[in-house]
């Protein structure tokens, strides 16, 4: 939200007050509070008829400094609030003359009480990361009488900002106005399903605004040298989070707001959906499954979208008896074929459903201020909203899910959760404006928790559309309703990369696009991208997404990349375990792995899949693709071609290929089982070695292959040994194979294997 009219003036009807000078500082254990006047105090009379801003500075965890600016502290505190895992006071306060400092790990906040108002945030070397400057802390009232707390943090020259959730607008947020407000807006607008008030800077820090309601950002768009955020409230709290690397920032941020659960290994396989508005029954489903098997297309999960239930009755959790007369038997047959089953749900109850009357009688539905149940006809006739702030309503909703789990359902697609009204009263008295964004957290946590309770830790997985800060704890999230076009494929990737820099470890999208029917070219290009994502689902709106509907070549492409993903599972699940353990996402923007390379800071058409695989999806019908390789010798995983970076490349690829390069110096584990994602990853795995072979090069790298629970199962360490590479295994005595990624040299053995003559080949130019 903009308050100023250019640099000098305020907008009509806006009155703003900003901290001007420090009048007092109170020091406490690991914290201090500054009291800032909003106008210069030259005499005692200047202390009258004016505001004082209270600025509390503290450290909830090592490397994190919180700032809470308050105008009127008497406002009633109504929830909800983000769950922040503070580890106690981690700060140390010191004072030298007029300068007060709060230090926490590698981060320091400095306040000079003698000068004009301002604070600096410094890194471990004393370099400025950002600063609160002239209009950095204040409040403003607008013509409608609303009161906004306003904060500005300085943007450095060349500094790039990222994140704020899954946003489909340009990847670098500079120059954008962004409202953190849940909306069902598709993937081609400024609206977003997943809004997270956290941004990450290319300078090695992040900022989390600890406010679940609407947070309005102006990122170099109102004051071009500032990132501004404001909330309609009497206080605003934000945390500056230290690096020095972007990965370090994400580790600290997810330690505060929650680390992702580890999805089960089977969920990384291919998901096939009925699609949405298509006609289907058990015969259709069986035909799809038979068709996949007949074409040797591995399938892991079958998904039933909305119309598994009766029309006009969503969500009542009851199979349509005219279409699925014996769902328990059907689910048993699917399980016997090695498939898991997902079903679509949402948090709304249509009036025609028998559950509406039951939930209404029990008081489980959100009400208007006059006591009426809130309803409308958008999406479902007479639709009402489950009040997840009521523990009894959450338990009731969970009971409906238990019935489905008992029938044989394995997981849920938790659709919607964005269209949440503000003209309502919540059971626990929550502020409707704050609950609008936060509702999805209660919705998805309710579903995820019942899955964990019934299936056990490590077996729970969602396919969720909406989220806010902390939502990363309940994976997986998918990108929502995109068009069936190459442009929408690119905007989907931008959204996923943005989400990954907002703390989310796992992400997917509808292969082929959701709206409309993709041209076979679009579908085939999207297959490679989709099967080189964290999770992979074939799903559409009005048409099926079975590969053979798009031609024989589409079947071949789907088979090739599904099998490749299965072979990559020892590597991918290791990246998944890292996301669960440290908060570093599986799909990574290039800047996350190469923060020191300026060329990587704006790249949004390629990504790293885990630490060691570079993926550049092809967004053209002709197969032309332009991408960037950082420094070192990269090896194409599919062809063995070795290419020297840094530099831009232009390549042309058929539908069965794309730029897929192994990082220099990596040791990439591949499984031998192409049939399933959750096979035995230590049954004769292959380790691809990519050492630099320039004169004087060294090679010392270690990789851990996890078990199906994400725990270390075996570790392989590769080191240079003369002109060869020695690979030693620990934790396993079974045979394994080692070869160079370009295929020149290979060897096989147990416990210890040596590749000869690796360093006798000159570097590629």
């Amino acid at each position: 939200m903009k308050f100023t009219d250019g640099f000098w003036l305020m907008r009509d009807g806006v009155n703003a007050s900003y901290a001007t000078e420090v009048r007092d500082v109170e020091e406490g254990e690991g914290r201090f509070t500054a009291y800032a006047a909003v106008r210069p105090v030259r005499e005692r009379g200047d202390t009258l008829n004016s505001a004082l801003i209270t600025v509390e500075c503290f450290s909830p965890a090592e490397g994190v400094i919180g700032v809470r600016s308050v105008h009127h502290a008497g406002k009633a505190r109504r929830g909800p609030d983000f769950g922040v895992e503070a580890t106690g006071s981690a700060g140390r306060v010191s004072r030298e003359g007029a300068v007060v400092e709060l230090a926490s790990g590698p981060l320091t906040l400095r306040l000079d009480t003698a000068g004009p108002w301002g604070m600096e945030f410094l890194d471990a070397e004393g370099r400025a990361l950002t600063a609160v400057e002239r209009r950095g802390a204040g409040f403003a009232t607008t013509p409608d009488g609303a009161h906004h707390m306003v904060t500005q943090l300085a943007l450095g020259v060349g500094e790039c900002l990222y994140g704020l959730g899954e946003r489909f607008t340009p990847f670098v947020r500079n120059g954008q106005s962004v409202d953190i407000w849940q909306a069902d807006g598709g993937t081609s607008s400024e609206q977003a399903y997943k809004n997270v008030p956290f941004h990450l800077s290319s300078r090695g820090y992040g900022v989390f605004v600890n406010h679940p309601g609407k947070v309005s950002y102006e990122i170099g768009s109102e004051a071009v040298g500032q990132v501004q955020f404001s909330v309609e409230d009497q206080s605003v709290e934000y945390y500056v989070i230290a690096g020095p690397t972007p990965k370090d920032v994400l580790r600290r941020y997810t330690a505060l707001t929650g680390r992702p659960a580890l999805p089960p290994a089977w969920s990384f396989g291919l998901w096939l959906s009925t699609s949405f508005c298509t006609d289907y029954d058990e015969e259709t489903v069986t035909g799809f499954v038979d068709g996949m098997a007949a074409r040797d297309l591995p399938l892991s999960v079958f998904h039933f979208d909305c119309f598994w239930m009766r029309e006009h009755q969503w969500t009542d959790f009851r199979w349509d008896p005219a279409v699925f007369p014996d769902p328990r038997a059907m689910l048993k047959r699917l399980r016997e074929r090695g498939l898991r089953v997902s079903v679509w749900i949402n948090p709304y109850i249509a009036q025609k459903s028998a559950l509406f009357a039951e939930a209404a009688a029990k008081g489980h539905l959100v009400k208007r201020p006059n006591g009426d149940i809130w309803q409308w006809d958008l999406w479902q006739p007479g639709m009402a909203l489950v009040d997840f702030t009521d523990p009894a309503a959450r338990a009731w909703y969970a009971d409906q899910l238990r019935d489905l789990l008992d029938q044989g359902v394995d997981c849920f697609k938790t659709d919607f959760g964005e269209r949440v009204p503000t003209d309502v009263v919540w059971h626990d008295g929550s502020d409707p404006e704050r609950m609008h964004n936060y509702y999805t957290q209660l919705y998805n946590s309710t579903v995820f928790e019942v899955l964990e309770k019934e299936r056990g830790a490590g077996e729970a997985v969602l396919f969720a559309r909406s989220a806010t800060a902390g939502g990363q704890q309940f994976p997986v999230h998918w990108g929502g309703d995109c068009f069936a076009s190459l442009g929408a494929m690119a905007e989907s990737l931008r959204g996923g990369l943005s989400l990954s820099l907002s703390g989310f470890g796992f992400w997917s999208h509808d292969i082929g696009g959701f709206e409309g029917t993709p041209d076979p070219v679009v579908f085939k290009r999207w297959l490679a991208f989709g099967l080189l994502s964290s999770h992979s689902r074939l799903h559409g709106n009005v048409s099926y997404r079975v590969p053979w509907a798009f031609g024989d070549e589409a079947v071949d492409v789907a088979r090739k990349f599904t099998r490749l993903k299965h072979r990559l599972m020892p590597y991918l699940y290791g990246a998944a375990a890292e996301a669960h353990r440290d908060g570093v996402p599986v799909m990574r923007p290039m800047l996350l792995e190469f923060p020191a390379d300026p060329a990587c800071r704006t790249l949004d058409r390629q990504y790293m899949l885990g630490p060691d695989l570079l993926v550049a999806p092809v967004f053209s019908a002709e197969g032309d693709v332009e991408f960037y390789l950082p420094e070192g010798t990269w090896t194409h995983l599919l062809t063995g071609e070795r290419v020297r970076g840094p530099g831009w490349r232009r390549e042309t690829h058929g539908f069965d290929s794309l730029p897929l390069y192994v990082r220099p110096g990596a040791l990439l584990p591949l499984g031998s089982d192409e049939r399933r994602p959750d096979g035995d990853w230590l049954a004769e795995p292959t380790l691809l070695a990519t050492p630099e072979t320039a004169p004087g090069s060294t090679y010392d790298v270690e990789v851990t292959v996890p078990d199906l629970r994400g725990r270390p199962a075996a570790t392989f360490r590769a080191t240079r040994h003369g002109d060869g590479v020695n690979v030693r295994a620990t934790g396993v005595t079974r045979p394994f194979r080692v070869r160079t990624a370009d295929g020149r040299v290979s060897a096989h053995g147990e416990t210890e294997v040596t590749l000869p003559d690796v360093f006798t080949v000159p570097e590629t130019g």
Side-chain angles (χ1 to χ4, degrees):
M1 182 175 184
K2 295 181 173 68
F3 301 97
T4 58
D5 179 9
F7 183 76
W8 308 108
L9 305 176
M10 303 304 295
R11 296 196 170 199
D12 288 344
V14 174
N15 293 298
S17 298
Y18 300 100
T20 301
E21 61 181 50
V22 178
R23 299 304 301 169
D24 191 18
V25 174
E26 295 177 355
E27 298 178 30
E29 183 65 33
R31 61 192 301 133
F32 69 83
T33 301
Y35 298 90
V38 298
R39 66 184 187 188
V41 179
R42 298 183 177 88
E43 58 184 40
R44 286 185 171 181
D46 292 332
T47 65
L48 306 177
N49 306 313
S50 184
L52 200 65
I53 298 177
T54 303
V55 182
E56 304 167 13
C57 302
F58 56 96
S59 176
E62 186 270 342
V64 180
I65 290 179
V67 177
R68 178 176 167 83
S69 297
V70 183
H71 181 201
H72 289 157
K75 181 180 177 181
R77 183 76 174 173
R78 300 170 67 192
D81 293 295
F82 288 130
V84 175
E85 293 294 327
T87 57
S89 181
R92 303 179 310 281
V93 175
S94 61
R95 185 161 189 165
E96 184 174 339
V99 176
V100 182
E101 290 189 347
L102 172 63
S104 178
L107 184 64
T108 298
L109 169 62
R110 176 178 294 165
L111 171 66
D112 185 347
T113 65
W117 169 260
M119 301 190 297
E120 280 189 302
F121 293 89
L122 311 174
D123 68 10
E125 280 70 48
R127 294 174 297 206
L129 295 172
T130 187
V132 177
E133 297 178 333
R134 175 172 164 265
R135 290 180 170 176
F139 60 89
T141 57
T142 49
D144 59 0
H147 181 284
H148 302 263
M149 295 300 296
V150 185
T151 297
Q152 288 185 351
L153 295 174
L155 280 170
V157 176
E159 181 177 2
C160 297
L161 299 187
Y162 314 90
L164 301 182
E166 180 192 47
R167 315 210 77 85
F168 306 101
T169 51
F171 177 55
V172 177
R173 298 275 91 88
N174 297 50
Q176 298 181 40
S177 299
V178 175
D179 285 337
I180 301 298
W181 192 249
Q182 305 288 68
D184 178 4
T187 68
S188 55
S189 77
E190 64 182 7
Q191 296 180 356
Y193 303 106
K194 306 170 188 68
N195 290 269
V196 181
F198 168 78
H199 67 263
L200 188 146
S201 168
S202 61
R203 298 185 76 173
Y205 70 93
V207 179
F208 171 51
V209 180
N210 189 20
H211 192 289
K214 185 176 183 178
V215 183
S216 181
Y217 284 83
E218 299 294 339
I219 308 164
S221 48
E222 180 172 17
V224 296
Q226 305 286 325
V227 53
Q228 175 178 289
F229 47 88
S230 60
V231 299
E232 187 178 336
D233 210 330
Q234 290 287 339
S235 65
V236 62
E237 180 174 292
Y238 62 94
Y239 300 151
V240 176
I241 303 171
T245 71
K247 285 185 182 179
D248 292 325
V249 176
L250 289 181
R251 290 184 184 109
R252 289 191 169 98
Y253 168 70
T254 55
L256 282 175
T257 59
R259 296 265 165 79
L262 180 64
W266 54 261
S267 72
F268 287 73
L270 183 61
W271 298 45
L272 175 62
S273 166
T274 58
S275 291
F276 172 30
C277 287
T278 55
D279 290 324
Y280 59 87
D281 54 16
E282 184 175 353
E283 183 179 355
T284 312
V285 172
T286 302
F288 286 169
V289 175
D290 288 343
M292 297 290 284
R295 294 167 177 82
D296 200 20
L297 291 169
L299 184 63
S300 297
V301 183
F302 194 88
H303 170 71
F304 292 85
D305 218 54
C306 313
F307 283 97
W308 67 273
M309 293 176 283
R310 294 165 291 181
E311 63 182 31
H312 297 146
Q313 301 193 55
W314 306 338
T315 298
D316 68 355
F317 311 100
R318 306 293 185 264
W319 294 85
D320 186 341
V323 182
F324 301 105
D326 191 354
R328 189 179 294 271
M330 177 186 66
L331 297 177
K332 183 174 183 291
R333 287 190 287 272
L334 291 173
R335 175 57 69 92
E336 289 171 347
R337 301 188 68 167
L339 296 174
R340 306 287 182 144
V341 172
S342 164
V343 297
W344 178 97
I345 60 173
N346 69 25
Y348 312 130
I349 309 293
Q351 183 172 291
K352 188 174 184 292
S353 166
L355 290 183
F356 179 90
E358 179 183 335
K362 293 180 176 180
H364 294 338
L365 302 176
V366 176
K367 294 183 175 64
R368 297 185 184 275
N370 66 1
D372 292 343
I373 291 172
W374 179 90
Q375 290 181 267
W376 67 5
D377 292 330
L378 188 61
W379 183 241
Q380 289 291 284
M383 183 183 84
L385 188 65
V386 176
D387 189 343
F388 287 113
T389 72
D390 180 358
R394 294 186 72 169
W396 173 82
Y397 193 90
D399 285 342
Q400 315 305 316
L401 302 180
R402 286 190 182 89
D403 289 344
L404 291 167
L405 295 174
D406 181 63
Q407 293 172 22
V409 170
D410 296 285
C411 54
F412 299 102
K413 172 183 171 181
T414 51
D415 207 352
F416 287 79
E418 308 92 359
R419 296 176 179 176
V420 178
T422 56
D423 56 340
V424 294
V425 175
W426 294 92
H427 172 83
D428 71 348
S430 284
D431 183 325
E433 193 265 352
R434 293 168 73 94
M435 183 54 71
H436 173 84
N437 288 343
Y438 194 76
Y439 182 83
T440 178
Q441 186 75 353
L442 299 178
Y443 167 38
N444 282 307
S445 65
T446 298
V447 180
F448 198 86
E449 286 164 11
V450 75
L451 282 166
E452 280 199 323
K453 187 172 293 185
E454 298 299 318
R455 291 289 189 260
E459 282 296 309
V461 64
L462 306 179
F463 225 85
R465 189 172 78 175
S466 60
T468 188
Q472 68 270 6
Q473 298 171 81
F474 317 118
V476 169
H477 294 81
W478 104 98
D481 298 347
C482 52
F483 282 88
S485 68
L486 292 169
M489 179 176 154
E491 71 196 21
S492 293
L493 176 57
R494 284 200 303 275
L497 296 181
S498 179
L499 189 68
S500 74
L501 292 181
S502 306
F504 285 69
F506 305 93
W507 176 79
S508 188
H509 43 95
D510 292 339
I511 294 175
F514 176 75
E515 293 287 352
T517 300
D519 181 273
V521 168
V522 173
F523 184 74
K524 287 180 283 190
R525 293 296 181 199
W526 211 315
L527 276 169
F529 167 41
L531 285 158
L532 289 168
S533 298
S534 151
H535 285 72
S536 310
R537 184 179 71 157
L538 297 165
H539 178 69
N541 184 356
V542 296
S543 56
Y544 303 129
R545 292 292 184 269
V546 289
W548 53 92
F550 303 92
D552 291 341
E553 187 175 26
V555 172
D556 294 338
V557 173
R559 183 188 306 113
K560 176 174 182 174
F561 284 100
T562 304
R563 288 179 172 180
L564 174 63
K565 189 174 189 185
H566 290 173
R567 290 206 66 199
L568 284 169
M569 277 303 295
Y571 166 75
L572 291 177
Y573 213 57
E578 183 182 5
H580 169 61
R581 182 180 65 247
D582 295 334
V584 178
V586 173
M587 294 178 68
R588 308 174 182 184
M590 296 297 294
L591 71 100
L592 205 57
E593 288 294 334
F594 304 95
D597 188 337
C600 290
R601 294 172 191 164
T602 60
L603 299 179
D604 61 4
R605 298 192 305 275
Q606 62 186 79
Y607 57 95
M608 297 297 292
L609 184 61
D612 294 327
L613 274 181
L614 185 152
V615 183
V618 179
F619 298 110
S620 71
E622 300 77 17
D624 299 328
V625 57
E626 185 180 58
F627 63 99
Y628 175 79
L629 290 176
E631 186 174 2
T633 302
W634 296 74
T635 309
H636 197 284
L637 181 64
L638 303 180
T639 67
E641 180 185 6
R642 301 168 76 234
V643 179
R644 182 75 183 170
W648 286 89
R649 283 183 61 80
R650 293 179 177 87
E651 296 179 354
T652 302
H653 287 262
F655 295 114
D656 64 344
S657 182
L658 78 169
L660 180 60
Y661 283 87
V662 186
R663 186 175 187 163
L667 184 65
L668 187 76
L670 299 175
S672 59
D673 189 349
E674 297 181 334
R675 306 301 310 165
R676 55 187 298 165
D678 53 350
D680 182 356
W681 299 329
L682 291 176
E684 294 223 35
T686 297
L687 299 155
L688 300 185
T690 60
E692 296 278 18
T693 55
S697 295
T698 61
Y699 187 51
D700 190 344
V701 61
E702 186 174 276
V703 66
T704 297
V705 173
D707 64 14
L708 293 176
R709 295 293 178 184
R711 300 166 301 202
T715 298
F716 299 89
R717 183 178 180 185
T719 56
R720 179 166 183 170
H721 185 72
D723 285 334
V725 170
N726 177 266
V727 180
R728 179 181 292 274
T730 56
V732 64
T733 58
R734 301 166 69 182
F736 63 94
R737 189 176 303 277
V738 183
R739 68 175 174 86
T740 53
D742 60 9
R744 290 184 300 107
V745 186
S746 65
H748 178 268
E750 300 175 6
T751 307
E752 189 172 356
V753 174
T754 298
L755 283 179
D757 303 324
V758 173
F759 290 89
T760 58
V761 176
E763 282 291 290
T764 303

